[in-house]
Amino acid sequence: MKKTITDSTIDADVLTYTVGEDPVLDLALAKWDCMGTAAHVTMLSEMKGLKRPIVTKAEAAKVRRELGRIVKLAAAGKFEIRVDDQDVHMAVERMLTEKLGDLGKKIHTGRSRNDQVAVDVRLHMKDAILATETELLELASELCSFGHDVGPVPMVGRTHLQPAMPSTVEMWATGHAEMILDQLANFEAAYQLTDTNPLGSAAGYGVPLPLDRKRTSELLGFSRPIHNCFGASMARGECEASLLSALAQLMCVLSRLAEDMILFSMPEFAYFKLPREYCTGSSIMPQKFNPDVLELVRGKTAQVIGWQTAALTLLHAMPGGYNRDLQDAKLLYMKGLETTRTTLRILAKVVAGMKVNPDVCRAAFTPGVFATDVALKKVAEGMPWRDAYHAVRDQFAALYEGKDAEVANLDPDRQVALKTHEGTCLGIDHDLYQQRISAAAKSAETRKLALETKCRALLK
């Protein structure tokens, strides 16, 4: 009877409970597990100071070829993790052993499933972070294009949801785009944390073999090994929590965008018209076109925040060294990634199809929106700011009834045209946004290509 890593006497319910969703979740790690194994077996074949090599260079080449075949099977949806495998690591080892016999049994030398899953997750996360950044940039680009195409159409700027000061649709759109672009810093922080190599730390205390951890880092495209093996074992979960924090923050920004789009497309506002193909109907009211997808952005934001909280809670009282509850961090970050990336793609489509009603935007201006402009005009004529403020405030009733002579001569387009300093209505620098987007896209693409090149070199 074939022996597995699991004690055959273990209770079936306990086995199911401990294995959890790994047989499904780990399918996403198959490519990265094969890449990590290819680097490890290459390093084993190059180790110095042994009486005989654990794996010869010719044997390592055989393993790498077989790993390449497994990656192709996984890409075709033909890779299977059996119940008795428990996870991707043992499934790959089983397949190697079936093809290569005793050679397949050697690949786990100097490794634990602890450092094996840690390197798989980090490789998967590096690739996923770069893909998420690309989708983030696509949404920011759509918002910038929307703003640029509409131009400085006047739009009431609001605080506390109340009319405040003159603004433009262009300023609204690019303001949301800039908030989204600023989230790149959080993803880059998560990437830097992830771009270190835990392989070779084994169960967290190293092994009595001359492992070359710098070599596996080079082969896998990591910036460096995590120096302390004990620290490497504890770092499991930290990367997941860091990425979830970036995802949760981004989702909060996206949720605010979605809420604005819901509000300003309401009939009571009617500034924007949402594309009908992204709105759903009612089972009873034939006239309805509901912004359900935007409402779900708010709900899914709550989910991602919950997964982030779960990941941090998972870690906060955990003792040093590997603990099995770290396994649950995998489910949390994978769900967070899938939800956030889907949200980015959907919002980009909605923004691309959204239309503006310039006449309605202009008609929404009431005299009070110009109050600050009137006060600042008095300042320009020599009045101290606080006196000007009170002068306008004291004629509040006349101002809001449209009886104030100064206000009567103001219109939205003229007032918007007076705002020319950096970042205001006529001071939006689209070249600045395009430069940021292009530079970030190039950086993500360069790193993604480098990772794929490392993968192809190992699994050719």
Side-chain angles (χ1 to χ4, degrees), residues 135-250:
E135 289 160 348
L136 178 158
L137 293 168
E138 288 169 357
L139 173 57
S141 181
E142 285 292 352
L143 281 163
C144 288
S145 295
F146 175 81
H148 181 270
D149 292 345
V150 172
V153 171
M155 177 178 173
V156 175
R158 295 175 183 274
T159 63
H160 309 277
L161 273 181
Q162 303 301 308
M165 297 177 70
S167 181
T168 64
V169 176
E170 181 181 26
M171 194 173 180
W172 173 87
T174 54
H176 277 291
E178 188 158 347
M179 284 284 290
I180 291 167
L181 287 172
D182 286 347
Q183 300 309 304
L184 284 171
N186 295 327
F187 285 94
E188 285 299 303
Y191 185 90
Q192 293 303 317
L193 187 63
T194 303
D195 192 28
T196 50
N197 182 22
L199 193 59
S201 59
Y205 304 97
V207 294
L209 289 170
L211 303 182
D212 188 346
R213 300 186 60 220
K214 288 183 179 178
R215 177 61 171 149
T216 56
S217 298
E218 175 193 356
L219 290 168
L220 294 171
F222 285 108
S223 62
R224 60 176 176 83
I226 300 175
H227 175 68
N228 188 295
C229 291
F230 179 56
S233 72
M234 289 194 292
R236 174 93 190 276
E238 294 290 343
C239 290
E240 292 92 322
S242 175
L243 177 52
L244 277 164
S245 294
L247 293 169
Q249 181 65 49
L250 173 60

Side-chain angles (χ1 to χ4, degrees), residues 244 304-315 332:
L244 277 164
V304 177
I305 292 171
W307 293 325
Q308 176 209 16
T309 302
L312 293 172
T313 306
L314 192 69
L315 296 173
L332 299 173

Side-chain angles (χ1 to χ4, degrees), residues 66-350:
E66 188 59 28
L67 288 167
R69 187 185 70 86
I70 294 172
V71 169
K72 290 178 182 175
L73 288 174
K78 297 178 181 179
F79 175 78
E80 179 188 8
I81 301 174
R82 299 175 183 172
V83 174
D84 59 348
D85 292 328
Q86 299 186 49
D87 53 39
V88 65
H89 324 302
M90 298 313 298
V92 169
E93 183 173 325
R94 167 180 56 78
M95 294 177 73
L96 288 175
T97 302
E98 287 171 354
K99 285 285 185 178
L100 304 176
D102 286 347
L103 177 56
K105 298 177 183 179
K106 295 180 179 182
I107 65 164
H108 202 62
T109 303
R111 284 194 304 184
S112 165
R113 284 194 296 181
N114 298 350
D115 65 336
Q116 196 172 355
V117 69
V119 80
D120 291 2
V121 164
R122 283 169 182 258
L123 290 169
H124 179 269
M125 285 177 61
K126 284 178 65 177
D127 182 67
I129 288 170
L130 296 175
T132 305
E133 287 187 358
T134 299
E135 289 160 348
L136 178 158
L137 293 168
E138 288 169 357
L139 173 57
S141 181
E142 285 292 352
L143 281 163
C144 288
S145 295
F146 175 81
H148 181 270
D149 292 345
V150 172
V153 171
M155 177 178 173
V156 175
R158 295 175 183 274
T159 63
H160 309 277
L161 273 181
Q162 303 301 308
M165 297 177 70
S167 181
T168 64
V169 176
E170 181 181 26
M171 194 173 180
W172 173 87
T174 54
H176 277 291
E178 188 158 347
M179 284 284 290
I180 291 167
L181 287 172
D182 286 347
Q183 300 309 304
L184 284 171
N186 295 327
F187 285 94
E188 285 299 303
Y191 185 90
Q192 293 303 317
L193 187 63
T194 303
D195 192 28
T196 50
N197 182 22
L199 193 59
S201 59
Y205 304 97
V207 294
L209 289 170
L211 303 182
D212 188 346
R213 300 186 60 220
K214 288 183 179 178
R215 177 61 171 149
T216 56
S217 298
E218 175 193 356
L219 290 168
L220 294 171
F222 285 108
S223 62
R224 60 176 176 83
I226 300 175
H227 175 68
N228 188 295
C229 291
F230 179 56
S233 72
M234 289 194 292
R236 174 93 190 276
E238 294 290 343
C239 290
E240 292 92 322
S242 175
L243 177 52
L244 277 164
S245 294
L247 293 169
Q249 181 65 49
L250 173 60
M251 285 296 291
C252 287
V253 171
L254 300 182
S255 185
R256 295 182 70 182
L257 169 64
E259 179 66 6
D260 268 9
M261 292 165 72
I262 291 169
L263 287 172
F264 296 143
S265 63
M266 290 170 56
E268 291 79 3
F269 281 95
Y271 297 169
F272 305 151
K273 184 176 181 181
L274 301 176
R276 286 194 168 186
E277 61 268 32
Y278 302 121
C279 297
T280 58
S282 164
S283 64
I284 189 173
M285 295 170 284
Q287 84 282 10
K288 294 298 289 295
F289 290 93
N290 301 317
D292 286 14
V293 70
L294 299 176
E295 293 166 0
L296 286 171
V297 172
R298 297 184 311 211
K300 292 186 183 299
T301 297
Q303 290 181 356
V304 177
I305 292 171
W307 293 325
Q308 176 209 16
T309 302
L312 293 172
T313 306
L314 192 69
L315 296 173
H316 87 283
M318 191 173 288
Y322 176 79
N323 297 273
R324 188 62 180 265
D325 15 354
L326 284 169
Q327 171 181 286
D328 289 341
K330 187 193 306 176
L331 171 67
L332 299 173
Y333 97 83
M334 285 188 173
K335 281 184 173 291
L337 267 172
E338 179 186 8
T339 300
T340 305
R341 292 184 62 185
T342 303
T343 301
L344 286 166
R345 293 194 296 270
I346 287 174
L347 281 175
K349 291 180 180 181
V350 178

